[in-house]
Every structure is written in C-alpha cells, then in structure tokens.
Amino acid sequence: MKVIIAAAGTGGHINPGIAIANKIKEKEPNSEIIFIGTNRGLENDLVPRAGYSLKTIQAYGFNRRISLDNFKKMYKTFRSIGEARKIIQEFQPDIVIGTGGYICVPVGMAAKKARIPIILHESNAFPGIAIKMLSKKADTILLGFEDARKRIPNAKKIAVTGTPTKVKYIEVSNSQRIQLIKQLGLQEDLPIALCFGGSQGAQSINESLVQIIKQQKNSNYQIIWAAGPAQYEQVKEKLIECQMEIEHLQRVKIVPYIYNMEEIMNIVDLVVCRSGAMTITEISNVGKPAIFIPFPFATENHQEYNAKVLEKVDAAKIILDKNLTADLLNDMIENMVKDREKLKRMGQNAKNISIENVEEKIYQEIETLAFPEFRK
C-alpha cells in the first residue's frame, strides 16, 4: 500500500497521523508512507523521528480577520494545491489520509482532482474548518467523538473510531503504586491531583496552582504538576519569593514535563488540565475523573466542546478560563477528592466512553478504501 498522510502544526494532528502510519506498517510491512506538512510545525521533528519521510508545501491556517497578511496566507495555501498535486503525481498513492488542520485542505483538494481515495480523521468534538470544507470531498471521515457527527451533516460516510493515543489503562499493583508515589516524594495515604496544561504548560492554570501552594491550601490532597518547560523556571522564581524551594515542597511535586504520563495518570485520583482531544481520549482510556479548564482561544472553542463530552456523562467538571481562581480550583479539587466513591464512579463513567482497538478500526476503514476488492 502507498499512503500519503497530511499532518501539520501541533502534536494533536501529527501524533495520530504517526500512529496510523505505524499501524499500516504493522499490517503491511512493505507499505510506502510519506507525510505532507509545512516547514514550520512540529512535523519537522516528529515525523523524521518516527522514521517517515516528510514533504513540505506552503500552506497556512485560515484566519477570519480581514487583513493583508491573511489574504497572503490564503493565496499561498490555495497555490499549495499545485505543490500537493505534484507530490501526489510523483508518489502515486493508493490513499490520502488527513488528520485535521489546515494542511488537509490543499492536500485533500489535490487528491480529489487526482481521484485518489481520501480519509479524514477529526479528533475534536467540534470539527475544524478544514474538515468541514472537505466533508463532501472525503470518502470517509473518522471521528474521535460521536458528538462530532451532527456537526458534519454533508459527509458521505462517517465512522466513530476514536483517536490513537499513547496513554492507555494499565494494571498497577498497590506495591507498584506505593513505590512510584515514594519516588515522587509524596505520601501514599493522601489523594493525588495530576495537573498539567499541555506540553508547554498553561499560564492561567500555573498561576492558580502557585497561589494554592503559596497559601498551603492543599492540606487534604497532593499535587503532581507539569508546569511546562518554558514556565517551570518562572514558577520556581515565584515560589522563591515566598521562601519556598521547588524541590522541597510538602505534598507537591513540580516538574517541567512528565515523560511517563501513562504510568503517572494510572496512579492518580484526579486530573486537572486543558481539554484537547488527545487529553480527553487519554483520560477516558485510563478512566479518571477530571477538572477541565478549556483553552479559551482554541479554534471554534473546540476545547470546551471536548470537555462537555465527559461532563455530560458525569465524568468531569468544567471551569472556564475566565472564571478560574485559586480558591475556585482548590474548592473543586477538595470537594471531589473527599468522596472517594464518587471519584471512582466518575472514573468509570469516563472509561465507559473509551473506544477500544482504535488503530485497528482505523486500519479497517483505510483497507476498505485503498483496496478496491474490499470496497462494498
């Protein structure tokens, strides 16, 4: 099988594309797979690191503001359809896959002109502009959440497959949990809230957590906090102002980044975070209750829609960023962790909407389109 995957910008678009590529390689080791992206996004690091070739085109995201810069970007993006068409003509793929984001528009349009089957994957509960623009052109649209279905009524075919993620539920024995908690310098008998704001951190969440720690409000729970590589030193300095050393805090472990997220998420009692599609999926996979603070500037406010997927099944609470304060966050954490049975029920509610065998489901849809003999 020869496959082109269009993925650019953020890890939320690129990592699902890589997971799909890996599944194709597992099933069809002789497959040839290339990615199309830009020369600006994380794809320039993540795609080669995963062992795949990256071709770049001059595509840009659309902005609804009227400005000369925006018109220039739109012009370059539509011109990049020709660049994508050239790559398609040279590579001759059996199928083109887009995993969301603006890069899908020129690549999808070029694939349509070349009569190459198109599959799009949308991980968010509120589909992005690119998915909506291509909804009539794509042969199949794969969704991370059922909630997105009603928002793309013009799609030819929809399959809810879930979103590929690295973080899954794993069995952790009590002795393993205790050992890990001790390694973090925490107590085994107090509830733990895992707090993070994405790979780079989230300033509003960080500011609230700093105040909680400064005022020592977390006497009834512990915090594992990934502040983000860029913001870790800022957090450290703010704590020093109160004669607090970041390495010697009681009931708190602060790090720039959590590399063993799967392991950590499986041992905590509660998660406090933004609500990107990957994060929502991971929390659902592991089966943890959550407090979501959606990123307020996400396109189409999609993070709030993502958070509502778990809120409506009583698996999560939502605090809007504009309402976030240290007191509100602390009160919500305290009220949730004091009822262990309710926490368990909320975690099970999250687990109930998790989709299993995601990569396998996606591969089956790809196989159906790429090989004519499998088509209905």
Side-chain angles (χ1 to χ4, degrees):
M1 190 190 309
K2 298 185 75 174
V3 183
I4 287 178
I5 298 177
T10 67
H13 295 312
I14 300 157
N15 287 324
I18 291 171
I20 291 168
N22 291 342
K23 186 64 178 181
I24 293 170
K25 276 289 188 180
E26 175 194 317
K27 290 285 193 175
E28 301 281 338
N30 295 324
S31 293
E32 296 178 51
I33 302 172
I34 65 170
F35 280 70
I36 296 181
T38 71
N39 59 5
R40 304 182 308 279
L42 281 175
E43 63 270 26
N44 292 273
D45 175 35
L46 299 180
V47 171
R49 191 185 292 268
Y52 297 102
S53 173
L54 174 68
K55 306 288 185 181
T56 61
I57 62 176
Q58 290 299 309
Y60 291 85
F62 295 141
N63 191 313
R64 292 181 177 178
R65 291 198 311 268
I66 297 175
S67 68
L68 180 59
D69 181 61
N70 196 34
F71 279 120
K72 286 179 180 178
K73 287 180 177 179
M74 289 176 67
Y75 175 71
K76 288 180 180 179
T77 298
F78 281 107
R79 274 197 65 183
S80 71
I81 296 172
E83 299 173 60
R85 188 185 307 165
K86 185 178 179 182
I87 294 170
I88 288 171
Q89 287 171 345
E90 290 174 354
F91 188 69
Q92 291 292 304
D94 297 299
I95 192 166
V96 167
I97 302 167
T99 52
Y102 55 85
I103 196 72
C104 292
V105 174
V107 177
M109 288 182 172
K112 186 67 177 177
K113 275 193 171 288
R115 297 184 178 179
I116 305 295
I118 304 167
I119 280 185
L120 300 177
H121 182 277
E122 175 55 76
S123 56
N124 290 299
F126 197 102
I129 295 172
I131 298 293
K132 289 178 180 177
M133 286 181 68
L134 294 170
S135 61
K136 290 183 179 179
K137 293 179 170 58
D139 295 277
T140 303
I141 297 180
L142 311 178
L143 301 179
F145 301 115
E146 175 65 40
D147 289 50
R149 185 191 294 269
K150 62 191 176 192
R151 298 184 176 107
I152 39 175
N154 297 323
K156 293 180 186 176
K157 179 187 175 184
I158 289 175
V160 181
T161 59
T163 296
T165 66
K166 294 178 182 179
V167 175
K168 315 280 187 186
Y169 172 78
I170 55 174
E171 289 282 353
V172 180
S173 69
N174 191 50
S175 60
Q176 289 173 319
R177 180 178 182 274
I178 291 171
Q179 183 181 7
L180 187 52
I181 288 171
K182 285 183 176 178
Q183 287 173 0
L184 293 165
L186 301 176
Q187 304 171 34
E188 60 183 85
D189 57 339
L190 273 182
I192 301 172
L194 167 63
C195 307
F196 59 93
S199 60
Q200 299 304 313
Q203 188 171 351
S204 59
I205 296 175
N206 286 356
E207 288 173 354
S208 293
L209 289 171
V210 165
Q211 291 306 313
I212 287 172
I213 294 166
K214 279 184 175 181
Q215 297 169 38
Q216 298 182 335
K217 290 177 175 289
N218 63 308
S219 56
N220 297 319
Y221 65 92
Q222 303 175 98
I223 297 170
I224 300 174
W225 171 17
Q231 298 188 47
Y232 178 79
E233 290 300 324
Q234 296 173 19
V235 169
K236 189 174 182 178
E237 290 299 319
K238 287 178 181 178
L239 292 172
I240 287 173
E241 291 171 5
C242 296
Q243 287 76 51
M244 289 180 154
E245 295 183 19
I246 201 166
E247 297 88 358
H248 301 101
L249 297 168
Q250 287 194 344
R251 300 181 300 279
V252 179
K253 177 66 174 180
I254 307 176
V255 295
Y257 185 82
I258 295 174
Y259 292 94
N260 58 333
M261 181 60 84
E262 183 175 71
E263 193 175 35
I264 295 295
M265 195 177 285
N266 273 277
I267 69 161
V268 301
D269 300 281
L270 173 67
V271 182
V272 178
C273 59
R274 294 297 197 197
S275 48
M278 298 283 284
T279 301
I280 297 276
T281 302
E282 289 168 355
I283 288 170
S284 175
N285 287 346
V286 177
K288 295 294 175 181
I291 297 172
F292 291 122
I293 303 140
F295 179 55
F297 305 111
T299 308
E300 305 280 2
N301 196 29
H302 69 254
Q303 285 210 4
E304 188 173 336
Y305 287 95
N306 291 345
K308 286 177 179 177
V309 170
L310 289 187
E311 183 194 46
K312 74 179 184 181
V313 297
D314 193 26
K317 305 289 185 184
I318 298 174
I319 300 175
L320 295 183
D321 198 85
K322 65 183 179 181
N323 299 329
L324 179 63
T325 64
D327 286 339
L328 177 58
L329 179 58
N330 179 68
D331 289 347
M332 189 171 286
I333 294 173
E334 286 210 319
N335 287 332
M336 290 177 72
V337 298
K338 71 182 180 184
D339 190 341
R340 291 292 187 103
E341 287 305 311
K342 185 175 182 181
L343 274 186
K344 286 181 182 178
R345 287 197 302 272
M346 291 179 73
Q348 187 57 53
N349 291 341
K351 192 79 172 68
N352 289 343
I353 67 165
S354 175
I355 299 175
E356 296 183 350
N357 302 316
V358 171
E359 289 88 346
E360 184 64 33
K361 287 181 171 69
I362 291 173
Y363 177 77
Q364 288 172 5
E365 296 294 337
I366 293 168
E367 185 181 54
T368 299
L369 268 180
F371 297 122
E373 60 267 30
F374 288 106
R375 295 180 196 167
K376 296 178 181 179

